Amino acid sequence: MCFFGCLLSLTIFAADKNSQAVSMVSYEQGWSDSEGTIALKNNTTTDIHNVKFIITYLNMSGEQLDYEEFFVNVDIAPGKTKKVDIPAYEHDRYYSYYKSEAISGNSHKFKIRYELKEYNTQNPNEHITEPKFLGEYDEDLDVANHQQGNEWMYILLAIVIGLIAIGISVGLYVLVAVMAKKRNRNVVLWVLLSLIGTPLLVIIILACIGSADDYNKDIV
């Protein structure tokens, strides 16, 4: 029973000690300040590099007005105190900390309550990525770029082949029309025949049957 009592006492002591690892020494915010200044003290035996804490804003009667969580990067040596700036509370409405300078007759004063959350931790809003150094080879990126380059090459080749095919096709129909005209035959009729069949077949037929005038002379 005594053992469990000692263990519980040590646990409470450790939790209390951790909560006081970084304490607030003072706070300043005048009515014209766009930032408040908080002094933090390192009560541990190791260096502090960042601190996460909550500031609760209270009116002069001790009633809660608002609260905000802060994460500040600050280097504090063991046993030392350092001041850091945080956004001022209700700056646009000329609020001021009750121990700081205020507008004469202004009732917008407030108190604060400081609560330590964590220290020497990573900022949750920061996303750390591995940097790429000059000359570093990324095989996956190289393969992806190569595949993308091949895709564009295939697309360009398909476009060129398609244009060539269209040009040849149009050229054959134009040739049918030219041959029919030179042979004094109905151009529209022979172009329609080439659409029904194939231009190559119609070209062969036109080459074989010759001119319509020659055919009429043979009949006469």
Side-chain angles (χ1 to χ4, degrees), residues 18-29:
N18 182 69
S19 66
Q20 297 300 321
V22 184
S23 59
M24 183 187 77
V25 176
S26 65
Y27 182 77
E28 302 171 16
Q29 181 190 322

Side-chain angles (χ1 to χ4, degrees), residues 6 15 22 50 60 75 83 91 95 125 131 159 166 185 207 209 215 220:
C6 293
V22 184
N50 56 63
M60 298 308 295
D75 293 321
K83 291 183 177 182
H91 165 66
Y95 270 67
N125 296 324
I159 292 174
I166 293 173
R185 299 186 180 277
I209 63 178
Y215 180 75
V220 174

Side-chain angles (χ1 to χ4, degrees), residues 43-136:
N43 299 312
T44 70
T45 57
T46 59
D47 290 336
I48 297 293
H49 301 293
N50 56 63
V51 184
K52 182 179 181 181
F53 56 91
I54 292 177
I55 295 293
T56 303
Y57 300 95
L58 313 167
N59 62 20
M60 298 308 295
S61 299
E63 297 174 337
Q64 181 175 334
L65 298 173
D66 200 354
Y67 77 94
E68 192 167 353
E69 187 175 279
F70 297 94
F71 185 97
V72 296
N73 291 307
V74 55
D75 293 321
I76 313 174
K80 300 296 183 179
T81 300
K82 183 166 287 190
K83 291 183 177 182
V84 293
D85 293 330
I86 60 175
Y89 176 66
E90 293 284 3
H91 165 66
D92 295 336
R93 298 174 62 188
Y94 304 110
Y95 270 67
S96 61
Y97 185 55
Y98 78 108
K99 291 184 179 181
S100 300
E101 180 186 3
I103 298 178
S104 179
N106 179 25
S107 60
H108 293 318
K109 295 183 179 181
F110 63 89
K111 298 180 179 180
I112 66 170
R113 183 169 61 241
Y114 164 88
E115 178 185 355
L116 176 66
K117 297 297 292 182
E118 298 174 329
Y119 61 92
N120 288 350
T121 59
Q122 179 182 336
N123 187 345
N125 296 324
E126 292 181 350
H127 300 283
I128 299 176
T129 57
E130 291 293 333
K132 294 291 183 181
F133 296 101
L134 184 64
E136 181 179 354

